[in-house]
């Protein structure tokens, strides 16, 4: 575990502290205070991301350290939109998700500035990586929204509400995941002359896509008769997202064209 004694590190730790304080307040009887702290955490996350862009002089999406900074900055807007559109309050779970996302950036991955490799100097860089950033955040939130569907103590109303919210969120995440996969394939054609390289990261990204495709196929075939099965499929999908994003990138078992991530 490494502690960062830099401005970048300070901004990350400030964000973590605000996310933690927001989660504590939101769980208790201080919900208005919690929402204010949650918003301040978002501002700190954005400041951290902007500072990273200033330091690197390129869009901060090159490696996992920057990827997690982007994901943390996406959370509050998605949480706010979710509450407005579905009526489901996910502030507490999103604040906890923010803690989990930022912890590796704060204590695991190096903040060393790296030159942008030639392969990433493409107009497709931002839309491809941005699609995955937003898509992964949406799919993680969908899995958390589905948790009431697993609890035997949840009422029928809670299950229906959780099902609708998780389905809408997963649908948008799946669209973004599909877009990221297609843009990556196009980028591969431009850079390496082929749409598909059988790279480990490509294969796991496709496997993740198939898990979520299976989720929607199951919904179309069975409806909502088995809400626990739907929730389990979303959690399995989240597991694949985590594996694709972390283990496949950092494990020495897998080497390929995406090892710079």
């Amino acid at each position: 575990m490494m502690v960062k004694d830099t401005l970048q590190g300070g901004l990350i730790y400030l964000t973590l502290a605000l996310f933690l304080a927001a989660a504590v307040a939101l769980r208790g009887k201080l919900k208005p205070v919690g929402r204010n702290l949650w918003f301040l955490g978002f501002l700190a996350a954005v400041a951290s991301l902007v500072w990273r862009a200033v330091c690197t002089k390129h869009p901060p999406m090159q490696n996992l350290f920057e990827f997690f900074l982007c994901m943390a900055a996406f959370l509050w807007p998605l949480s706010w939109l979710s509450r407005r559109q579905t009526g489901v309050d996910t502030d507490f779970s999103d604040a906890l998700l923010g803690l989990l996302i930022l912890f590796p950036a704060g204590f695991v991955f190096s903040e060393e500035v790296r030159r942008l490799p030639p392969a990433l100097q493409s107009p497709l860089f931002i839309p491809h990586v941005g699609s995955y950033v937003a898509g992964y955040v949406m799919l993680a939130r969908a899995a958390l929204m589905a948790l009431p569907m697993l609890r035997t103590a949840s009422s029928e109303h809670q299950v229906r509400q959780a099902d609708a919210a998780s389905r809408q969120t997963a649908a948008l995440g799946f669209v973004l995941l599909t877009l990221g996969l297609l843009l990556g394939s196009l980028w591969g054609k431009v850079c390496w002359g082929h749409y598909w390289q059988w790279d480990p990261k490509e294969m796991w990204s496709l496997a993740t896509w198939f898990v979520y495709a299976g989720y929607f196929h199951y919904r179309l075939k069975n409806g909502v008769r088995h809400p626990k099965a739907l929730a389990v499929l979303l959690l399995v999908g989240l597991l694949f997202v985590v594996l694709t994003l972390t283990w496949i990138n950092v494990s020495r078992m897998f080497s390929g064209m995406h090892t710079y991530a």
Side-chain angles (χ1 to χ4, degrees), residues 246-257:
T246 57
W247 184 50
I248 306 306
N249 273 321
V250 301
S251 174
R252 295 182 180 179
M253 294 176 59
F254 304 97
S255 61
M257 297 177 178

Side-chain angles (χ1 to χ4, degrees), residues 129-193:
V129 181
S131 295
Y132 272 114
V133 169
Y136 283 165
V137 170
M138 296 296 289
L139 294 172
R141 294 181 69 252
L144 294 179
M145 288 177 176
L147 289 178
M149 298 159 64
L150 293 172
R151 302 186 191 120
T152 55
S154 298
S155 66
E156 184 178 347
H157 172 71
Q158 288 174 319
V159 170
R160 285 201 306 269
Q161 189 179 43
D163 179 70
S166 62
R167 175 187 57 79
Q168 293 175 21
T169 305
L172 182 53
F174 184 64
V175 169
L176 290 167
L177 198 68
T178 304
L179 179 62
L181 197 63
L182 292 175
L183 288 173
S185 179
L186 177 60
W187 196 352
K189 177 65 174 178
V190 172
C191 287
W192 301 303

Side-chain angles (χ1 to χ4, degrees), residues 8-83:
Q8 184 76 72
L11 288 170
I12 292 173
Y13 301 140
L14 174 61
T15 307
L16 283 168
L18 288 168
F19 282 178
L20 177 59
V24 172
L26 288 164
R27 197 60 171 175
K29 298 180 179 180
L30 299 172
K31 185 162 287 191
V33 175
R35 283 184 174 167
N36 288 333
L37 290 168
W38 178 217
F39 178 69
L40 290 175
F42 161 68
L43 295 180
V46 171
S48 179
L49 189 63
V50 170
W51 178 246
R52 182 64 178 180
V54 170
C55 292
T56 60
K57 298 181 176 59
H58 62 67
M61 299 178 178
Q62 177 185 357
N63 48 49
L64 285 178
F65 174 75
E66 296 170 3
F67 198 95
F68 283 123
L69 293 183
C70 289
M71 290 179 73
F74 264 85
L75 277 170
W76 183 87
L78 293 176
S79 184
W80 180 80
L81 285 172
S82 175
R83 190 167 63 251

